[in-house]
């Protein structure tokens, strides 16, 4: 059933003109602001704040889903799960802007590509600079991480822990994004990402040059403090390498068309990785591992 629900959600996103949302959830921000108004909220221990903001709504909403299973033979719960996943996955919203960025880059309009990346592709590391080559690499890095956080992480925890898993992952991502300057707030999300990001990195190797990617993946495996974006980018770069040489990204300011093809290669690797995981989920569903 989980495979069918994910498949329906993906088809809906591909076929229907669903609204594309930003990476920040307005409903979660309202909930966070409500919590912050509580007396001494800012002074309680960080575990208590995380429990109140993330764990409490996760448990409450999961309990509501569990209660709904007893009505209408569980069909209402299936519909609610489809709506929940559709809402969560709609926040990735990079398809159109990525296409615009690639078009500008392939046409040699590096200024237009820069403005598109700065405004829409969530590249906070890029500042106003003339180094378009660094921008292109940062776009690729940010897109890898953004797809991981807003798609793979959600689907992974949905498969592992059902509605409670996707809610925990979703609220943790939003909580970390809302606490930009608080490194400790990111630790909860870091540990939720630790296993999934390494699984996705291994998938990049299977979908690309496995012999080049495996040593890099093994090097990153037990680096507990390694950032998820760095792991994904390093393994993906190795998976896209050829002829025994480490992958080198083309410089956008020297050959914009070649830089656009770099994006195409990443997108191809991404699609192959999605296909691998859909096959894994389907086999697990058929085998009775996932219900």
């Amino acid at each position: 059933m989980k495979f069918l629900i994910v498949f329906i959600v993906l088809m809906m996103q591909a076929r229907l003109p669903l609204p594309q949302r930003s990476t920040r959830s307005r409903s979660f921000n309202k909930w966070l602001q409500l919590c912050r108004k509580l007396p001494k909220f800012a002074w309680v221990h960080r575990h208590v704040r995380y429990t109140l903001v993330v764990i409490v709504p996760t448990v409450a909403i999961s309990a509501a889903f569990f209660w709904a299973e007893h009505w209408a033979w569980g069909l209402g719960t299936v519909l609610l799960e489809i709506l929940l996943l559709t809402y969560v996955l709609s926040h990735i919203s990079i398809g159109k802007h990525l296409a615009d960025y690639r078009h500008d880059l392939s046409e040699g309009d590096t200024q237009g590509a820069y403005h598109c990346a700065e405004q829409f592709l969530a590249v906070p590391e890029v500042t106003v600079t003339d180094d378009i080559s660094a921008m292109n690499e940062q776009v690729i890095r940010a897109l890898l991480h953004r797809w991981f956080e807003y798609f793979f992480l959600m689907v992974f925890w949905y498969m592992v822990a059902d509605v409670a898993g996707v809610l925990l992952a979703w609220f943790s991502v939003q909580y970390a994004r809302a606490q930009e300057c608080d490194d400790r707030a990111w630790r909860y999300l870091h540990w939720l990402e630790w296993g999934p990001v390494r699984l996705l990195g291994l998938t990049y190797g299977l979908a690309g040059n496995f012999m080049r990617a495996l040593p890099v993946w093994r090097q990153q495996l037990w680096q507990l403090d390694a950032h998820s974006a760095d792991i994904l980018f390093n393994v993906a770069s190795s998976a896209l390498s050829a002829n025994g040489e480490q992958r080198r990204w083309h410089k956008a300011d020297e050959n914009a068309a070649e830089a656009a093809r770099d994006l195409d290669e990443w997108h191809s690797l991404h699609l192959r990785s999605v296909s691998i995981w859909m096959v894994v989920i389907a086999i697990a569903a058929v085998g009775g591992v996932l219900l």
Side-chain angles (χ1 to χ4, degrees):
M1 182 60 71
K2 289 182 181 179
F3 171 78
L4 181 60
I5 290 174
V6 172
F7 182 78
I8 291 174
V9 171
L10 292 180
M11 289 299 100
M12 288 175 59
Q13 287 189 321
R15 302 296 182 182
L16 299 180
L18 299 176
Q20 298 295 306
R21 308 175 190 275
S22 66
T23 55
R24 301 293 181 90
S25 170
R26 287 179 293 181
S27 57
F28 179 84
N29 285 335
K30 291 179 181 178
W31 166 249
L32 181 60
Q33 294 303 321
L34 184 63
C35 292
R36 285 174 172 171
K37 292 180 181 179
L38 296 175
K40 299 182 179 180
F41 175 80
W43 301 101
V44 298
H45 194 275
R46 61 189 179 92
H47 294 333
V48 177
R49 294 199 299 270
Y50 179 77
T51 299
L52 178 61
V53 177
V54 175
I55 303 298
V56 169
T58 297
V59 173
I61 298 175
S62 300
F65 271 81
F66 178 78
W67 176 79
E69 289 182 354
H70 299 86
W71 297 89
W73 304 282
L75 295 178
T77 301
V78 172
L79 178 59
L80 289 175
E81 289 184 18
I82 292 175
L83 293 176
L84 174 63
L85 278 179
T86 301
Y87 172 77
V88 168
L89 300 184
S90 67
H91 285 76
I92 189 172
S93 63
I94 59 175
K96 180 181 182 300
H97 301 310
L98 178 59
D100 292 340
Y101 173 81
R102 187 206 174 283
H103 178 267
D104 290 340
L105 205 58
S106 62
E107 295 294 323
D109 184 8
T110 52
Q111 190 66 26
Y114 176 83
H115 286 302
C116 183
E118 185 181 38
Q119 295 180 29
F120 303 114
L121 295 180
V123 193
E125 300 87 353
V126 177
T127 57
V128 180
T129 176
D130 294 331
D131 189 356
I132 306 299
S133 301
M135 177 206 68
N136 194 49
E137 181 177 313
Q138 288 293 341
V139 166
I140 295 172
R141 181 187 298 266
L143 290 176
L144 286 170
H145 189 229
R146 185 168 171 179
W147 180 83
F148 164 73
E149 276 196 339
Y150 288 88
F151 181 85
F152 184 82
L153 184 68
M154 303 301 160
V155 174
F156 174 87
W157 282 111
Y158 174 65
M159 293 298 167
V160 171
D162 206 68
V163 171
V166 69
L167 288 172
L168 179 63
W170 172 246
F171 289 140
S172 296
V173 167
Q174 293 299 318
Y175 182 73
R177 295 289 180 187
Q179 311 288 331
E180 292 178 345
C181 298
D182 186 356
D183 291 338
R184 291 184 176 182
W186 283 85
R187 300 303 296 175
Y188 305 105
L189 179 61
H190 174 79
W191 291 115
L192 281 176
E193 291 182 350
W194 192 91
V197 75
R198 284 155 178 80
L199 279 176
L200 183 57
L202 183 61
T203 310
Y204 284 154
L206 294 173
N209 189 333
F210 185 74
M211 297 307 296
R212 288 290 302 174
L214 182 61
V216 177
W217 180 81
R218 292 179 61 183
Q219 183 181 7
Q220 304 276 344
L221 181 59
W222 298 112
Q223 293 184 7
L224 300 182
D225 293 330
H227 194 276
S228 298
D230 295 332
I231 295 174
L232 293 174
F233 183 77
N234 293 337
V235 177
S237 297
S238 300
L240 289 173
S241 63
N243 300 324
E245 297 181 357
Q246 180 66 29
R247 174 69 177 178
R248 294 182 179 179
W249 302 103
H250 291 98
K251 294 186 176 182
D253 49 355
E254 293 180 1
N255 194 331
E258 290 294 334
R261 279 193 281 273
D262 284 336
L263 287 176
D264 292 339
E265 291 186 31
W266 162 76
H267 189 59
S268 178
L269 180 70
H270 155 74
L271 291 178
R272 293 196 299 271
S273 300
V274 172
S275 300
I276 289 173
W277 274 103
M278 291 302 291
V279 170
V280 170
I281 294 172
I283 293 174
V286 172
V289 178
L290 299 175
L291 300 178

